[in-house]
Amino acid sequence: MFSAALRRTTASLSTSSSNIATKSICSRFFATGPQQGGEISDELLDKLGNLSTQALVDGLWVMGWPNAQIDGSRALHSSHKCVGRAVTLQFVPARPDIAQDKPAGGESPEYEAFEKCGPNEVLVMASVGKWDSVGGDIKFLRLKQRNIGGLVTDGSVRDTDEIINYGFPCFSYSTTARQGPAYMQPWKCNDIVSVGGVAVRPGDAIVGDQDGVVCVPAKVAEKVYSIAHGREEIEEIIKEELTKNPGPPGKYYPFMSGKIKVDSPLGKLLASKGITPENSNQFEGSADW
């Protein structure tokens, strides 16, 4: 009788523990949150690509968002400029059991990421180290075939001349001759990654030019464009005025978006060009963020 009671008690505790474990796993799963933060249309993507990275950084800064520039990721060639939605790939440090568990061959996470890329996508590869290679000519031949919008990494690339000849924009920390697999392995496609100290979500807009690479969060991309586009218009007016009437820029510049006073020298200059609080969010009291 005692043994039967003990078995019933043990079974009850086992079931209870199993339910708790299941609830715990479900809680952790739901606590992860969505990978993607929003959708960016092709039209908005084109408009963001026509702006400078400086204007985009300034737009996010004005809104109070954290640093958006992917530090250390520089154009492999002076002609390289990119814009596209982020497809992300996370590398992890090399470890034998991880290498065994990772899908092999064509099912490996980097090839999954490659196939998600096209002209409107930028592959964002989160490296383990700055000098570790995320890939070279043979792997990246597929990116050429996919007509990818660009590649961005905080690691290095190798077979540099061949990659430049492939023609797609490439931004990396540096170039290297050494292999990557000895130091790291691709592990996960299209999750939130940290690249150059910046969080990148799949679907975010990635814009790169000769000054660097900027991640524009999809959730606020429309508003960032509005602020950044307005700033670029004003900067062009300031440069035009200083070209016609040479003098210290301090009369008009720098300025803070959403803080320009109507009766300031810059405010009066803008009014003469038809830019007022009624049609611009750059003035004091007209900020809409």
Side-chain angles (χ1 to χ4, degrees), residues 146-220:
R146 298 288 301 172
N147 194 26
I148 189 174
L151 183 156
V152 170
T153 182
D154 53 356
S156 294
V157 296
R158 65 183 203 158
D159 304 310
T160 307
D161 290 341
E162 194 66 24
I163 293 174
I164 291 173
N165 288 335
Y166 284 166
F168 61 80
C170 181
F171 295 76
S172 65
Y173 179 80
S174 188
T175 59
T176 184
R178 72 184 188 185
Q179 298 180 6
Y183 306 96
M184 61 183 185
Q185 297 153 342
W187 181 247
K188 187 182 291 188
C189 169
N190 260 2
D191 201 351
I192 299 172
V193 296
S194 175
V195 187
V198 172
V200 177
R201 300 177 82 171
D204 286 347
I206 304 296
V207 181
D209 58 23
Q210 292 304 299
D211 286 326
V213 181
V214 174
C215 173
V216 180
K219 184 164 285 188
V220 293

Side-chain angles (χ1 to χ4, degrees), residues 51 221-231 281-282 288-289:
L51 296 178
E222 192 77 56
K223 186 57 62 182
V224 172
Y225 171 77
S226 173
I227 298 170
H229 178 63
R231 287 186 64 85
N281 60 5
Q282 303 289 316
D288 53 2
W289 56 87

Side-chain angles (χ1 to χ4, degrees), residues 108-131:
S108 187
E110 74 263 44
Y111 301 127
E112 178 188 357
F114 288 8
E115 297 307 306
K116 292 180 182 293
C117 293
N120 285 329
E121 283 76 42
V122 171
L123 179 59
V124 180
M125 307 177 86
S127 180
V128 170
K130 296 176 180 178
W131 299 105

Side-chain angles (χ1 to χ4, degrees), residues 2 7 39 44 47 74 105 118 153 155 157 160 200 209-210 283:
F2 176 76
R7 283 197 298 272
E39 299 285 343
L44 178 56
K47 292 195 294 186
R74 302 303 303 273
T153 182
V157 296
T160 307
V200 177
D209 58 23
Q210 292 304 299
F283 291 84

